[in-house]
Amino acid sequence: MAEDLKIKKGTKEEQYIALLPQIKGLITGETNQIANLANIAAALKEQFNFFWVGFYLIEGEQLVLAPFQGPVACTRIQYGRGVCGTCWKENRTIIVPNVDEFPGHIACSSLSKSEIVIPVYKGNNIIGILDVDSSELNDFDAVDEQYLTEIVALLS
Ligand code: SME
């Protein structure tokens, strides 16, 4: 398998459309979850240069930091806390246009301004979340939600 990612220019949607089959190719046939999470985080970082992109996995009543790309981050997040813990508790995607306006937002870095958090499932069970942070305000919309949801569905 060729490990080089083909970076595509164009609209955000065009970039996701080009990236999706490449991510599928990277993880198909690989059963190790950490390896797959690591390559998804790396591919998203490489294509979009997000400020921070990575996973937290559920362990008991906490989310624990898993493969990511970007600055060091909080290691553990309690159920229902911050954007990530709220996504887990409410079992739904959360888009935060301005993190300063989200009650209880956990600031791993003051440079992060907006964020999208998506539940990750194995079968019907939520096993963790995908968190993508931007240093720009209002950087995420329905296009990100659609394609990031499709990407994490590859793990299911
Ligand atoms: N901002 C997140 C914490 C995780 S970091 O941004 C990487 C939250 O409020 O849950």
Side-chain angles (χ1 to χ4, degrees), residues 109-125:
S109 164
S110 59
L111 296 175
S112 174
K113 302 286 187 226
S114 60
E115 147 166 39
I116 181 169
V117 183
I118 296 190
V120 177
Y121 300 97
K122 197 100 201 156
N124 292 325
N125 300 320

Side-chain angles (χ1 to χ4, degrees), residues 10-99:
T11 66
K12 184 161 70 174
E13 183 157 33
E14 287 166 347
Q15 293 182 55
Y16 276 118
I17 288 170
L19 189 61
L20 191 59
Q22 297 189 74
I23 289 181
K24 198 171 182 180
L26 280 169
I27 71 176
T28 297
E30 176 51 67
T31 54
N32 185 283
Q33 178 169 263
I34 296 297
N36 288 336
L37 299 181
N39 259 342
I40 291 174
L44 287 168
K45 175 76 174 173
E46 201 175 333
Q47 176 66 53
F48 293 104
N49 199 24
F50 290 127
F51 176 70
W52 195 94
V53 50
F55 293 90
Y56 282 86
L57 293 175
I58 295 169
E59 252 185 56
E61 288 301 300
Q62 297 180 322
L63 289 166
V64 181
L65 186 62
F68 72 95
Q69 297 269 320
V72 295
C74 331
T75 322
R76 289 173 185 269
I77 297 173
Q78 295 291 333
Y79 179 73
R81 301 289 299 276
V83 187
C84 296
T86 305
C87 167
W88 173 20
K89 184 177 178 186
E90 298 183 0
N91 200 11
R92 66 179 178 94
T93 292
I94 301 180
I95 294 176
V96 182
N98 179 351
V99 296

